[in-house]
């Protein structure tokens, strides 16, 4: 079973930290067949999510679970009502790529 963890620098930093911890980047879940694929970079915003998911799908099969940490970099730059609508629309697009 695969899990993708996608988001901004918080995800990147968590990956770097996990590499040096007991259990490694799979957080010890490899024992039960879980493979985690981390994809995080600084400054990632909501507008980057769809293209990131498309790119990941070129290299990996669709994950069983998708964990997102997204839109934090958009706060303060976008009105909240608009951002909420954009989050909803973006997640609906992502769901068409990863329907399960």
């Amino acid at each position: 079973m695969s899990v993708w963890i996608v988001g901004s620098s918080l995800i990147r930093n968590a990956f770097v930290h996990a590499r040096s911890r007991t259990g490694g980047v799979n957080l010890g879940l490899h024992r039960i067949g879980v493979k985690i694929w981390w994809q995080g970079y600084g400054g990632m915003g909501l507008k980057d999510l769809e293209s990131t998911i498309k790119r990941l799908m070129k290299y990996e099969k669709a994950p069983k679970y998708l964990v997102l940490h997204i839109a934090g970099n958009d706060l303060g730059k976008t009105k909240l009502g608009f951002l909420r609508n954009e989050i909803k629309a973006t997640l609906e697009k992502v769901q068409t790529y990863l329907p399960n």
Side-chain angles (χ1 to χ4, degrees):
M1 167 179 33
S2 66
V3 176
W4 292 357
I5 303 178
V6 179
S8 64
S9 59
L10 184 110
I11 300 304
R12 182 194 63 225
N13 295 340
F15 167 73
V16 169
H17 186 70
R19 283 190 312 196
S20 64
R21 304 282 302 180
T22 303
V25 297
N26 287 311
L27 306 176
L29 298 173
H30 61 280
R31 298 183 317 261
I32 58 171
V34 175
K35 177 186 172 200
I36 299 177
W37 202 19
W38 302 79
Q39 189 69 64
Y41 62 89
M44 183 177 187
L46 185 61
K47 66 179 175 30
D48 305 309
L49 180 61
E50 185 179 358
S51 62
T52 299
I53 296 296
K54 284 181 178 180
R55 187 177 67 251
L56 293 175
M57 291 181 67
K58 290 180 182 180
Y59 302 103
E60 288 284 319
K61 293 187 304 184
K64 176 82 173 175
Y65 297 99
L66 175 64
V67 178
L68 298 173
H69 181 272
I70 196 71
N73 290 316
D74 298 304
L75 293 173
K77 298 177 185 174
T78 308
K79 291 186 178 188
L80 288 181
F82 179 79
L83 182 58
R84 182 187 63 235
N85 293 337
E86 287 297 303
I87 290 170
K88 183 177 177 183
T90 301
L91 292 178
E92 287 171 354
K93 287 180 190 174
V94 167
Q95 190 174 20
T96 65
Y97 304 125
L98 303 170
N100 295 323

